[in-house]
Structure formats: structure tokens, C-alpha cells
Amino acid sequence: MSKATDFNDLAVLAGPDAALNQVTEALLLAGQQAAQAAAQGDMRPQPEDDLPAIVEPWPEPVLPGVHVTPDIPARLLPGWLGDMAAAVAASTQTPVALAVMTGIGVLATALQRRFKVSPYGDAYEEPLSIFIAALLASGNRKSAVFTAMTAPVLHEEKLVRDRFRSRIAKTEAQRLVAKKRIERLTAEASKAADDAELSKIRAALEAEQEAMPDEVYAPRLFTTNATAEILQNMLVEQGGRIAIMSDEGDVLAVLGGLYAGGKAALDVLLQGHAGSAIRVDRSGRTAHIDDPAVSVVLAIQPGTMVDLAGSKRFRDSGLLARFLMTVPASNLGYRDVRQRQSIPADVQALYTDKMAGLLKGFEDLPESPRVLGFSDAARELWLDASAWVETGLRRHGEFDGIADWAGKLPGAIARISGLLEVAETGLAADLVHEDTMRKAIEMGELLATHARAAFGLIGADGADVDAAAVVAWVQAQGLMEFSVQQCRKAMSGRFAGKAERLEAALYRLQTNHVLREVERPNPGARPSRWQLVNPACSVGLVGSH
Amino acid sequence: MSAEDAFLAYLRTVGLEPLKPISLPEGKLVRYRGEGDKPGALNCYAVLHTHPEAWGAAGSWRTGARHTWREQGDRKRTSVELRVLRDQRRAAEQARMADEQRAHAEAQAKAARLWGLGKPATDAHPYSQRKQVHAYGLRQLGGRLMVPVRDAKGVLWSLQFIDADGTKRFLTGGRIQGCYCAIGAPRDVLLVCEGYATAATLFEATGHAVAAAFSANNLGRVAVALRVKFPQARIVICGDNDAHTPGNPGRTAAMAAAQAVGGLWVIPKFEEQGQ
């Protein structure tokens, strides 16, 4: 027999029991190691060099582009609003997150420009404007949710519009008469016989112009579609406040410049979200809006957002980062078609009543918004949350890749807390309390997970896109493992001179259990970094012929 | 020296020298018989490009070797040349893959035909006698044992022939990667080893299902295929103990395969090795 090397040789030399004993011994040892490791809370036993070892099992990998998002529970909303959101979700068999975030959007529509929050009680203030986009594929009953949640806004708007109808008509008549008089006086002025007559006509003209009443517009809370320019006009007409609420994505395409030769005019949205002053020159009139407030509430298909994410201006301007995007898990295919659950009448009635209370007097905007402070406990919680976000912004932190979005998260949490507080306490609210802040922070944490999913979904998360490319390469090559150098060389088209991007992609894949990094010694040189591939991700290769 | 001569000289240095003179038309994949190939077998391949710069790729289906060659030069390549080179490499890789698939398909058809011609093997075969193992699911054609090479779906891709003296060879061009010969019904434990005789021994000794991966290099791929097919199984890689070979490749491959699938590895300990 040549030199003995395998278990057959062992069995021939020492009998079949020798092979059985050694394999069994290895299995027993592995069991002991696992038990010992579990008892010590360490899943990575450190075997002696020449002893068989178990290796930590691979967890389920999360491939790039695949994101599991949590639901956003209705309990985070004030009782009456949460009950309505839960009832709408149950009735339409849609994810609760869709109704919850639409509810937040409805609150922002009703309360923006009327309230602000001031975390420190000083000059730093956050308006209550919110940009929300729920991304759900077609057929998920987005419109049904939208219709149910926005109904009170439509109703109150209509009531006020009806009340304004006679006032508008009266003012219009006065303006019409004044215009005609001015026209007549202008004609007479051109024919004036002497200076005395001209002075008399000029004085009459000035009097007419001063007496002409200002144009009165029907108060509106929202529009479903508008270009940036029309939105600007509406802001002027509506005292600096307007919301865009739509269950169609057209509005984003329009705002993205569909009717402006592809040139996006997004300043009005950015300023409206930030509450920074707008100066508008239109039709010979200069309008100043010192506290503009624009909210956007959308329930759209992911493809629409993908199109917009492709716009450099959309992302570079920071507009994309302002959206609180949710990617609710679709119920499609799992809905009970026999189930018909109506929204309970008492829940519906309370919701309508409470919203009517919040919308009371919405047409008379105050000179400046009412400012809500934070209680000491609420401020501490908010600062804790801000510190958590700050840490996550570091390289390889929780928000690596979506830093522009996460940078605005503390502000978003402050805004949400203000909305929740007014919804809970009423229009007399003056302080954001601890309980409210707790809910706002929990919502912010959930929204962060959704944001990562959304940015990955729309291809705006660079690390995710790079990670997907690495996985595609691994699968195409049928690799079980590879060195970082090998990957860098093979994907030089993508990563040449961009080592940081490759590192970020590898790190993302490691945290998602797709890769596992190990070091292999190189005699006389630095150890090589190797990436082991989760077998579940190599499926594309195994048996693919 | 022309680019073709330089490339052929390089092939000699990496053990892929053609046994007969070959010509290498620009950008066309050529198959030829290399050193160690049996008569009639075209296991080696080569492709040569000369524009915008001379480079070539070559390999052997039999050994799995793959090499690329580039004429040395200091000239900096333009972006257009780089694009052309990239396209050439992509085309060469596609040609290689197409050729590989064609070779796999040819071997698969041949394997099916020979497998059909064979008869169930008995334990009387000299190899089984010498290794003291049964012939589990093997067939015999003439004096040769035929070991089926199947993928995880059970598709037959190739055959391993074992002569009476223990000489082993595979069908030319047949797919081996990720394929194995299975013995026993899988339960909670799956053993993976290199050769058929080892697999039969382990099955007889332990009663666990065993997959013979045919080589150390294939252990990992087979382990991955089994992990995908049996996610909950405890996979034990029963490697060879090549203690007399520098680096102990059997042990190294077993460790790597176990690491890839979160499994366990074990190698035999022999008294005379003091292990």
C-alpha cells in the first residue's frame, strides 16, 4: 500500500471501527464545543490547531436590494388617530404603516404654518412641514387608504370654501367695478384739457386704486398636482401654506421638471420644508412669505421614486433626503378576499370630529406660528436620539450610505413630536411631553429602517448598488471565497481608485451575512484578506448548467 | 520573435505545450492535445489576440489550469485600446465558457450512453476487493468500474472510470465541479470525502450518507451544493490526511470546505504518523 492518507486506508489498516470512532469522536467534540460556546455566549469556539472544529453557522443572508421593513404600529399615534389608521388598514387589508404615515401627513397638512417646535426654547425652530412618500406597488389599495384618511381635510376645506363663496363674489364685484372705474379715469386722463383737470383725475385714480379690495382666494389646504411655479403662486395666495397630497406619482414628475424642459425648480419645496423666507416676483407684484410651509404626502409606486432618484438635482439639492420614505411590506397575495371589515362608525366619527377640531380656524393663519417647547425630559430623549444618529453617521456606521437622509432625522423627529403633541393635546398645546417624544423617536427609528430599504430600492444607496455588483460578480464566477485583491482587480472598472467604495460594499455584505472576512497568513508578507461567501448566495452557480 | 511564437513559448513554460504544431488565428479559440492527454483528446485550449496588443489565454479542461499571457511593453495604452482589450477579453471568456458548456454537453451525452451500456458492478471487481468495499450504485463496463458523477439534482454529468489496478480517469471535458457520487440516504449528518472507496468505507463504518467529491479541490463546491439542498444537515468533511505532502492539501481543503458551509472537518489519524 502506498502511504496511507484517507479513511479507506485507515479502515484497511486498523479496521472499520477506527474510521467510525474517529468520525464519531469529531461529531461529539463538535457538539461539546457548540454547547460550551453557547454556555459562554460565544458562538465562535477557538479550537486547537489540529483539532476538528465547528465553524459558526451562516445566518440567513440579506442580499442587496432585499430589505425587510418593520411595520409602523398604529399605537404610535394618538388614540383617535391610531384607531382610525388601524381600522383603515384592517378594512383595506393594507400595511398599517401606509395608514399611519398618511395620518402623519394629514396632521402636517392641518397644522403646518400654525405651529412650530423649538427644542431649546431659543431661535432654533423646526416647522411642522413633513415630506412623506409611501412606496408600494400598484394594486396595494393605496388610493383607498388615502381617500379614507384625507376625507376630513376635504370636508373641512369644502365647508370653508362654501363660507367664503359670497365674500369672494362680493369682493370680485367690487374689484371689477373698481377696475372699470380705473379704466375710465385712465382714458379721461389722456384727454385732460389742462393740468388742473389732470391732477383731479390722478387723485381720483389713486383713490380708486387704494379703495380696491385685495383679491380673496378660497382657502385651500392642499393640491394634488402643481408645477413648482404654480405651487409658488398658491403659497402666495394661501398665506404661505400648502400641502401636496396625492396617491399618484405625476406630481413628482411635474415638480421634477416635466413641463420645464427637464429642469427641476425645486427651491419652493426646499424652502417650504425648511420654512425659510421666499421672495416671489410675479405679474408685477412682489410677494414676501416669511414663514412658508409646504408638506408633501404621497403614496406612490416605487418606480416613480426611482425615476426621480435618477435626477442628480433631486438628490444633490437634498430634496430626496427630506422625504420620510416608507416601504411597507406588501400584502398582495395574502389578503382574505372573503373578509369585509368596515371602519367602525364610532372610530370614523371620532376621527372626523377630532380632525374638524384641529382644522378649526385653519383659514385664519396667525401672524406667526405658535411655538411648542420641549419638556426637559422630552429634550433629553431627543438629544439621546440625536446622539444615536450622529454616531451612525460615522464611516461604517448605521447610516453609512444614507447620511444625507439621516442628518435630517433629528429634525424630523422633532417635527413628528410636535404633530403628535397637538393631535393629542389639541390646539392649546404648548409643550412636547416625554411620552409624545418617546413615540416620535420610535417612529423615527422605524423610519430609518424604511429609509435604508427605500434608498436601496430606488438605487440611491451607493453601497447597496456596489454590493449588488459584487454579488453578481461572485455568482457569475461561481466563487465560494475570494481575496479582496482579486475582487478589486476583477471589478477595476467599478472600483479602480475607489477603494473606499469597495470597502463599503464589502462591509455591507458582511453585515448582511453574505460575506465573512478571514485573514490568511502569507509567509514573509502581510496576511491576505479573504471573503468567504455564504453558500446560500452561491445558489446561482450550483447546478446552474 | 512573433507574438504567436512568444505565446507558444509561454505555453511551454506552464505545461500547456501542444503535442503537434498548431496555428492560432486572430481571436479564435483553438483546442488541441496537450502533454498528458490521451490520443485524440483535445483537452487544451488557447486563444491569441495581436491587436491592439498581443495577449492570449490558455487552459486545460483536464487539469483545470487557466493562464493568461501578455506581451511585455512599456507603452501606455490609450482608452480606445483599453476598451478594445476589454471587449476582447470578454469575448474570449464567453468563447471559453461556450466551449466548456459544449464539452460538458458532449461528455454528458457520452456518459449517459456508456452508463446505459454498463452492467451493475459486483463486489468481485479487483478494486473493490483491494479496498474492501462494496460497489454502491456503480456499474461496470468491460474491466472498468464506472462511478457516476452527478449534480445535486441527480443529473448525470460524467463518469469516473476505475481500472483493476486502481487507475482512475474521467470522461474528457466532463463536468466535475460541484458534482459527486452519493451513497446512502441523507438524514441529519452528511459526510463528504474525496474518493469513492473512502466514501464506501465511511458509509459502511458510520451508516451516514456520504458524498464522494472525487478531489480535494471539489470538496468545497460539493459541500456548498449539499448545504443548499440540505440546509439543516450537519455536514462533516472527511478529508484526506496528506501529511507527507507539503502544506497537507487534503487537510487544507477539508478545513476550507467546512468553513464555507459552517460544517465540521475531520481527517484520519494514523498511528505511524503519531497523530
Side-chain angles (χ1 to χ4, degrees):
Chain A
M1 179 189 280
S2 56
K3 284 170 184 166
T5 58
D6 59 33
F7 280 100
N8 176 261
D9 298 333
L10 180 69
V12 171
L13 286 170
D17 284 351
L20 171 66
N21 291 340
Q22 290 193 14
V23 174
T24 307
E25 186 187 330
L27 281 165
L28 285 172
L29 179 63
Q32 287 166 4
Q33 283 178 350
Q36 192 181 356
Q40 293 171 353
D42 177 7
M43 291 305 291
R44 270 184 256 199
Q46 301 297 317
E48 289 176 34
D49 184 51
D50 218 26
L51 284 177
I54 57 166
V55 184
E56 184 182 352
W58 282 96
E60 191 69 25
V62 181
L63 287 170
V66 178
H67 297 274
V68 181
T69 52
D71 213 344
I72 300 177
R75 65 174 168 75
L76 296 180
L77 298 176
W80 57 273
L81 185 53
D83 289 348
M84 180 64 180
V88 169
S91 172
T92 53
Q93 297 190 56
T94 51
V96 179
L98 179 60
V100 167
M101 292 315 292
T102 309
I104 291 286
V106 168
L107 286 179
T109 302
L111 301 175
Q112 63 174 349
R113 183 58 181 77
R114 299 162 74 195
F115 291 89
K116 278 185 172 183
V117 287
S118 176
Y120 305 103
D122 58 11
Y124 168 50
E125 294 172 344
E126 288 280 352
L128 298 194
S129 306
I130 291 270
F131 286 6
I132 287 169
L135 309 183
L136 259 178
S138 178
N140 272 287
R141 298 179 183 160
K142 296 189 291 290
S143 299
V145 174
F146 223 71
T147 303
M149 295 302 291
T150 57
V153 179
L154 262 79
H155 181 66
E156 290 301 317
E157 209 184 52
K158 183 176 180 305
L159 290 181
V160 173
R161 199 166 55 239
D162 288 347
R163 277 209 305 274
F164 265 64
R165 192 162 286 153
S166 62
R167 189 172 144 191
I168 291 171
K170 192 175 168 186
T171 309
E172 275 303 300
Q174 288 173 346
R175 283 175 60 85
L176 202 62
V177 169
K179 280 179 187 171
K180 288 293 176 193
R181 279 174 180 270
I182 290 168
E183 279 175 24
R184 184 174 57 76
L185 286 169
T186 309
E188 284 175 5
S190 63
K191 297 173 191 166
D194 53 34
D195 285 350
E197 189 182 355
L198 185 60
S199 296
K200 194 177 162 190
I201 294 171
R202 194 178 287 149
L205 253 175
E206 286 171 8
E208 282 295 344
Q209 277 171 335
E210 278 178 22
M212 185 166 71
D214 282 341
E215 205 169 347
V216 175
Y217 298 97
R220 289 187 57 182
L221 285 163
F222 74 98
T223 177
T224 55
N225 204 341
T227 63
E229 291 74 19
I230 290 176
L231 200 63
Q232 234 168 24
N233 292 347
M234 291 184 80
L235 270 178
V236 172
E237 293 165 5
Q238 298 299 323
R241 169 196 58 190
I242 197 72
I244 300 170
M245 294 205 291
S246 176
D247 52 0
E248 298 294 340
D250 276 0
V251 63
L252 280 182
V254 172
L255 287 169
L258 184 68
Y259 300 128
K263 188 172 180 297
L266 307 173
D267 289 352
V268 63
L269 289 179
L270 297 169
Q271 290 165 331
H273 184 270
S276 43
I278 296 177
R279 298 288 180 265
V280 182
D281 296 308
R282 71 173 187 97
S283 306
R285 187 175 86 175
T286 300
H288 292 187
I289 311 167
D290 288 334
D291 277 307
V294 178
S295 284
V296 181
V297 189
L298 303 172
I300 55 176
Q301 297 180 23
T304 309
M305 202 49 114
V306 171
D307 289 344
L308 281 168
S311 159
K312 192 171 182 307
R313 170 114 169 85
F314 217 77
R315 178 144 195 190
D316 288 355
S317 66
L319 189 58
L320 195 61
R322 283 171 165 78
F323 271 96
L324 301 177
M325 288 184 278
T326 50
V327 189
S330 170
N331 289 345
L332 275 183
Y334 297 94
R335 296 176 296 200
D336 184 351
V337 295
R338 298 184 192 286
Q339 177 189 310
R340 175 62 201 158
Q341 194 173 330
S342 301
I343 298 170
D346 57 334
V347 171
Q348 175 90 60
L350 185 61
Y351 177 63
T352 306
D353 189 45
K354 287 282 189 182
M355 278 308 300
L358 291 180
L359 288 165
K360 190 177 178 187
F362 81 83
E363 66 276 22
D364 297 322
L365 280 173
E367 193 64 30
S368 56
R370 183 187 176 99
V371 179
L372 305 180
F374 282 7
S375 74
D376 290 344
R379 189 182 309 108
E380 271 310 304
L381 286 174
W382 181 73
L383 288 171
D384 285 347
S386 303
W388 161 68
V389 171
E390 191 62 30
T391 310
L393 294 174
R394 292 175 189 166
R395 182 169 173 265
H396 289 171
E398 191 170 345
F399 301 118
D400 200 6
I402 56 166
D404 52 348
W405 182 90
K408 300 182 190 311
L409 183 55
I413 291 173
R415 293 177 187 216
I416 291 171
S417 72
L419 292 172
L420 296 181
E421 187 63 51
V422 179
E424 182 80 58
T425 315
L427 296 177
D430 58 0
L431 205 61
V432 174
H433 292 94
E434 182 184 352
D435 287 350
T436 310
M437 182 56 74
R438 239 178 248 289
K439 289 177 179 173
I441 290 171
E442 189 176 342
M443 191 175 284
E445 288 170 350
L446 293 169
L447 285 169
T449 309
H450 279 261
R452 183 168 294 293
F455 275 71
L457 188 71
I458 64 182
D461 181 348
D464 209 59
V465 175
D466 286 338
V470 172
V471 170
W473 170 71
V474 164
Q475 293 191 332
Q477 299 295 316
L479 299 175
M480 286 192 324
E481 58 180 29
F482 61 90
S483 69
V484 175
Q485 191 184 6
Q486 182 187 357
C487 179
R488 188 183 300 124
K489 196 174 172 187
M491 303 188 73
S492 58
R494 178 178 285 269
F495 295 121
K498 296 164 189 162
E500 285 284 309
R501 273 178 53 185
L502 174 60
E503 289 300 327
L506 294 177
Y507 183 78
R508 176 68 57 83
L509 291 171
Q510 286 159 12
T511 53
N512 287 344
H513 311 303
V514 176
L515 300 178
R516 187 181 283 165
E517 181 162 309
V518 292
E519 283 196 347
R520 300 227 169 115
N522 280 328
R526 282 188 307 172
S528 304
R529 291 171 56 213
W530 281 75
Q531 308 293 324
L532 309 180
V533 182
N534 188 328
C537 303
S538 306
V539 180
L541 293 169
V542 178
S544 62
H545 289 260
Chain B
M1 185 188 283
S2 71
E4 186 169 336
D5 291 340
F7 183 43
L8 289 170
Y10 170 76
L11 293 183
R12 272 193 291 281
T13 65
V14 293
L16 291 173
E17 183 184 10
L19 287 182
K20 290 179 183 173
I22 58 169
S23 65
L24 295 165
E26 172 75 22
K28 191 173 186 322
L29 190 128
V30 174
R31 296 186 70 189
Y32 61 92
R33 183 183 168 205
E35 198 175 335
D37 288 348
K38 64 176 184 172
L42 303 176
N43 283 333
C44 296
Y45 64 88
V47 60
L48 175 67
H49 290 265
T50 55
H51 298 289
E53 70 174 30
W55 73 274
S60 166
W61 302 131
R62 184 174 59 81
T63 64
R66 287 170 67 178
H67 299 279
T68 55
W69 166 86
R70 184 161 74 90
E71 197 168 50
Q72 294 299 317
D74 297 332
R75 190 174 64 84
K76 194 172 179 189
R77 289 168 289 188
T78 65
S79 58
V80 174
E81 287 174 342
L82 284 171
R83 200 177 309 129
V84 171
L85 284 169
R86 195 169 57 234
D87 292 345
Q88 284 178 353
R89 293 204 170 105
R90 194 174 295 140
E93 179 61 13
Q94 284 170 353
R96 188 196 64 76
M97 287 172 68
D99 197 50
E100 183 182 58
Q101 286 181 3
R102 187 188 53 73
H104 284 168
E106 283 176 8
Q108 188 180 27
K110 191 170 181 182
R113 188 165 54 80
L114 294 176
W115 188 251
L117 290 172
K119 292 186 169 53
T122 67
D123 297 342
H125 191 276
Y127 181 76
S128 301
Q129 290 283 317
R130 193 169 62 257
K131 292 288 185 180
Q132 301 175 24
V133 292
H134 296 295
Y136 296 100
L138 307 188
R139 290 197 171 212
Q140 198 167 333
L141 187 62
R144 287 171 172 171
L145 283 176
M146 292 193 293
V147 185
V149 180
R150 301 179 192 276
D151 66 14
K153 293 176 183 166
V155 177
L156 181 70
W157 282 96
S158 185
L159 296 172
Q160 184 187 45
F161 299 98
I162 304 178
D163 292 340
D165 63 358
T167 305
K168 297 172 188 168
R169 68 175 186 83
F170 292 97
L171 273 179
T172 300
R175 177 187 159 196
I176 306 294
Q177 287 189 346
C179 295
Y180 54 92
C181 169
I183 303 175
R187 292 192 186 86
D188 60 329
V189 175
L190 283 174
L191 308 183
V192 183
C193 64
E194 292 189 24
Y196 169 80
T198 309
T201 300
L202 285 167
F203 177 65
E204 286 163 19
T206 67
H208 297 308
V210 192
F214 301 108
S215 71
N217 288 338
N218 200 30
L219 282 174
R221 288 181 180 277
V222 170
V224 168
L226 291 171
R227 169 59 74 221
V228 172
K229 190 172 181 181
F230 304 106
Q232 303 302 323
R234 296 173 70 196
I235 296 177
V236 185
I237 312 296
C238 302
D240 283 6
N241 188 351
D242 299 323
H244 301 286
T245 307
N248 200 337
R251 178 176 177 274
T252 306
M255 285 174 69
Q259 200 163 28
V261 296
L264 166 72
W265 64 271
V266 59
I267 55 173
K269 298 175 204 165
F270 298 97
E271 299 248 332
E272 76 273 16
Q273 291 172 341
Q275 294 180 49

